[in-house]
Amino acid sequence: MTSELIHLRKAFLFQGLPDDVLAALAQKLTRQKLAKGQVLFRRGDQGDSLFIIDEGRIKIVREDAQGGELVLNYCEPGEAIGEMSLFDKEPRSAGVVAVTDSEVLELKRDAFFDLVNSRPDVSLVLLQSLSSRLRFASTYIQKAIEWSKRIAEGDYSLMDQMQTEQAVSDEDKAGQLLSAFFQMVKGVKAREEDLKQQVQKLTLIIDETKRKQEFEELTSTEFYSKLKLQAQMIREQRKDKS
């Protein structure tokens, strides 16, 4: 059994397809190598193919409001990416970057629909796979709402509860993805607290410097000198009387 057929069998989108259909798909795949950090495609690129990870690790990314990278998901061997472009012909909704040296298998839209048109039973399997992806999206959104509420209340304990091993369930995977974001939020909060403390210390220093300056200005006036001289004369008079 070829590696293409093995990974097609593992890909969630094609799980449940008969062996003869998988074999037909395997013949239509082309292989592409990616170096670490190489972009497979960017958000907005015209999409006309699906990719299956054969080796390595891939991340799906978008830009945040500040232009930084926001990781939406990490994908491992056997997972399919870019599948929506097979169905809607819309531009890519996100970018894909190789986290490690990787190899991907590409399936073009035309080759895909040639198979679907010749085998109507394939459509049902594909719908089931897409439903699984939608369930993951629902889990992700639900968890994001729950975590946001806890973060807003100042509860960061969920960060310590996250597991570092590879996630299996949709809930675990969604949790790992969200934990990266909320760890960043926690880091921002920590920097804000540190900055607040520095501002408080600086305010104390400024106040002390201001008080010292005001004292020096007061003691350097002619009025203060005369007052000091009068106080000294009063003390001497009291000594003479005693």
Side-chain angles (χ1 to χ4, degrees), residues 68-237:
E69 182 182 271
L70 178 62
V71 178
L72 303 180
N73 201 358
Y74 288 99
C75 299
E76 310 288 344
E79 294 189 74
I81 52 178
E83 61 269 27
M84 297 309 300
S85 294
L86 290 179
F87 299 99
D88 56 21
K89 297 184 180 180
E90 295 292 326
R92 302 289 189 184
S93 59
V96 170
V97 181
V99 179
T100 64
D101 291 343
S102 307
E103 290 190 18
V104 296
L105 305 172
E106 183 178 15
L107 176 64
K108 291 289 187 180
R109 179 190 291 121
D110 292 342
F112 172 75
F113 276 103
D114 284 344
L115 178 63
V116 172
N117 292 332
S118 64
R119 293 289 300 269
D121 56 313
V122 173
S123 299
L124 179 59
V125 176
L126 295 175
L127 286 173
Q128 292 172 341
S129 298
L130 291 175
S131 296
S132 176
R133 179 61 62 90
L134 288 174
R135 282 195 297 271
F136 171 76
S138 297
T139 301
Y140 187 93
I141 294 171
Q142 179 183 354
K143 210 168 189 65
I145 293 173
E146 292 175 355
W147 285 26
S148 296
K149 290 180 179 178
R150 292 177 63 179
I151 292 296
E153 295 171 355
D155 180 7
Y156 291 91
S157 61
L158 48 88
M159 301 300 166
D160 301 326
Q161 300 171 7
M162 290 310 305
Q163 299 177 347
T164 57
E165 62 265 20
Q166 184 174 347
V168 177
S169 68
D170 285 348
E171 185 173 356
D172 290 342
K173 194 169 187 179
Q176 286 190 357
L177 291 172
L178 287 168
S179 68
F181 171 74
F182 284 110
Q183 285 285 7
M184 179 184 67
V185 173
K186 187 178 181 181
V188 171
K189 179 178 176 59
R191 288 193 293 272
E192 288 180 349
E193 291 296 331
D194 182 62
L195 180 60
K196 186 183 297 184
Q197 292 179 4
Q198 292 183 30
V199 170
Q200 290 175 346
K201 291 180 180 178
L202 182 59
T203 301
L204 291 175
I205 294 174
I206 293 175
D207 289 344
E208 181 65 25
T209 302
K210 185 177 180 180
R211 285 194 294 269
K212 183 178 180 181
Q213 182 180 0
E214 291 174 347
F215 176 77
E216 291 176 349
E217 290 176 353
L218 177 64
T219 55
S220 63
T221 62
E222 183 178 356
F223 171 77
Y224 179 81
S225 298
K226 290 181 178 180
L227 186 63
K228 185 178 180 181
L229 180 60
Q230 291 177 358
Q232 185 176 356
M233 292 174 61
I234 292 174
R235 286 195 297 269
E236 289 177 353
Q237 291 173 0

